[in-house]
Amino acid sequence: MLGALALLMTMMVGAGTAAAQPVEAVVFELEGAGVDPALLSNLSAVLRNQALQVGAFEVVNATPLQREETAVVLGCEPDARTCLEQMAEFNDARVLISGDVRRRDGGLVVSVAIFDRLRSGVAMEVQRELSGDDPVLAFRREIEGVFGEIAAEMTTHLEVRAPGEGDAIRIDGVIVGHGQVTRQGLPEGRYRVEVERAGARPYVEEVALGVGDPVIIEVSAAPAVAASTEQRAAATSPSVQPQLGGAGPVAEERPERGVAAIAPPIAPRKRSRLGAYSSLGVGVVALGGAGAMVVSMRGIEDDIATENAAGTMTPSRYEELIGRGESYESAQWVLLGVGAGASALGLGWLIVSSARGDDEPALALGVGPASMCVRGRF
């Protein structure tokens, strides 16, 4: 029963959101000769917490690890790239984060190295000098900025700037904001970006998002509306030009009349129904689970009746069966509620997403001599 509930919740979360997968990382303990072990432990905790808060990393080592000791176990030199790749594969990780602390001129200098086994070249190393009375706080401030830059390079970045604050911005048909929108961590792939501008046709562009390749779309303001035919005709009103020599009638120049340009019709937007179908699928699974719980409860009732008839029922056995039946009943109501809610949500989503500007939902009633017809459009 618990497994079914866990699977159900996983499906609901997966249907509602689609986020980029975090990068598996190992955070080694900071090392430093002649540095207080308690200070090294505190700085290592700050390094680990900042890596977790970045969001782009998933720290896979549940216990503290020493880089030097790991290299000894693998029998390799810790500074060699092949050794770093072995340590990453050994821990099922892509990124290794390590560092050391040393004293210089009465202060502390911290060096942090970040190695990505999927990228060529040596590990990226950042060095910061800690100033102030609280080295832990100073290190937290420094490393927060470092990890912020790293996260930007390891995730996708999409920024859309509309000309007006009220201009709606859509990504794949879904409104995500107005005026200016920034999205980080979207899965890699192609996206359709639309900006609805007042007084002009929507701006549409398809973009390809990739890790470390930010995309910025700057949409210009809508062009000024063309002058009407009457205004343009008035601007070019007939003028009288005298003929040479003063003889003959006056010639009238006929202006060219402006022709108003008609923009082609806008193709209807395609609305994604993946969320609706996913919600309906969750509802079906939940209702099926509720049905399974009903069958299980009936099985409990049959077991009680069989054992009573055979005379083998004991008080402890009876309490066990009753408790199991109550658990099945609770699960049945939970699954029934989830299934009904998810099904209603999916059905409503389908009805709303199917409505278009040129095909509004409607209901028509037709009556004939011996028949009645009801037609609906959703």
Side-chain angles (χ1 to χ4, degrees), residues 1-15 278-279 281-287 289 331 334-339 342:
M1 180 182 66
L2 295 178
L5 289 174
L7 176 61
L8 177 62
M9 295 305 175
T10 303
M11 291 177 62
M12 294 180 67
V13 172
S278 301
S279 183
V282 171
V284 171
V285 172
L287 293 177
V334 171
L335 291 172
L336 186 61
V338 173

Side-chain angles (χ1 to χ4, degrees), residues 28-33 35 40 43-44 47 67-68 79 97-103 108-113 125-128 130 139:
F28 291 108
E29 296 292 294
L30 294 177
E31 302 174 354
V35 181
L40 286 177
L43 294 178
S44 299
L47 182 65
R67 193 184 73 151
E68 299 291 338
D79 294 329
I97 304 175
S98 59
D100 65 87
V101 184
R102 61 184 181 274
R103 296 190 178 277
L108 292 176
V109 177
V110 180
S111 299
V112 176
E125 186 170 351
V126 179
Q127 188 177 97
R128 292 290 187 271
L130 306 183
F139 180 65

Side-chain angles (χ1 to χ4, degrees), residues 158 160 170-171 191-195 203-205 207 217:
L158 173 62
V160 183
R170 299 174 182 266
I171 298 179
Y191 293 86
R192 179 183 177 90
V193 178
E194 302 177 53
V195 178
Y203 175 88
V204 181
E205 181 178 350
V207 297
I217 301 176

Side-chain angles (χ1 to χ4, degrees), residues 19-225:
Q21 294 295 328
V23 176
E24 297 83 1
V26 172
V27 181
F28 291 108
E29 296 292 294
L30 294 177
E31 302 174 354
V35 181
D36 184 13
L39 178 59
L40 286 177
S41 178
N42 291 334
L43 294 178
S44 299
V46 170
L47 182 65
R48 181 184 181 89
N49 290 336
Q50 289 298 323
L52 287 171
Q53 292 177 10
V54 164
F57 294 123
E58 179 184 356
V59 180
V60 297
N61 56 311
T63 58
L65 290 178
Q66 299 288 341
R67 193 184 73 151
E68 299 291 338
E69 295 179 0
T70 305
V72 170
V73 172
L74 297 176
C76 59
E77 292 295 329
D79 294 329
R81 179 179 177 84
T82 55
C83 185
L84 295 175
E85 292 177 349
Q86 292 180 29
M87 283 191 282
E89 293 178 1
F90 179 76
N91 291 281
D92 292 329
R94 168 183 165 181
V95 174
L96 302 178
I97 304 175
S98 59
D100 65 87
V101 184
R102 61 184 181 274
R103 296 190 178 277
R104 185 174 68 185
D105 298 334
L108 292 176
V109 177
V110 180
S111 299
V112 176
I114 302 175
F115 171 76
D116 187 348
R117 67 186 179 97
L118 298 185
R119 294 188 178 183
S120 60
V122 298
M124 181 183 70
E125 186 170 351
V126 179
Q127 188 177 97
R128 292 290 187 271
E129 184 173 354
L130 306 183
S131 59
D133 299 332
D134 190 346
V136 177
L137 179 60
F139 180 65
R140 179 181 289 110
R141 292 172 179 171
E142 295 289 345
I143 204 64
E144 182 177 359
V146 172
F147 275 128
E149 296 176 1
I150 295 173
E153 295 181 358
M154 302 191 68
T155 59
T156 60
H157 179 92
L158 173 62
E159 184 175 350
V160 183
R161 303 170 185 169
E165 295 182 357
D167 294 341
I169 299 175
R170 299 174 182 266
I171 298 179
D172 285 347
V174 179
I175 295 180
V176 295
H178 297 78
Q180 182 170 344
V181 169
T182 300
R183 287 290 182 270
Q184 290 184 338
L186 291 174
E188 293 183 285
R190 300 191 64 84
Y191 293 86
R192 179 183 177 90
V193 178
E194 302 177 53
V195 178
E196 297 181 356
R197 299 174 294 177
R201 301 177 62 223
Y203 175 88
V204 181
E205 181 178 350
E206 288 194 1
V207 297
L209 292 185
V211 172
D213 186 14
V215 176
I216 300 177
I217 301 176
E218 185 86 29
V219 182
S220 60
V225 179

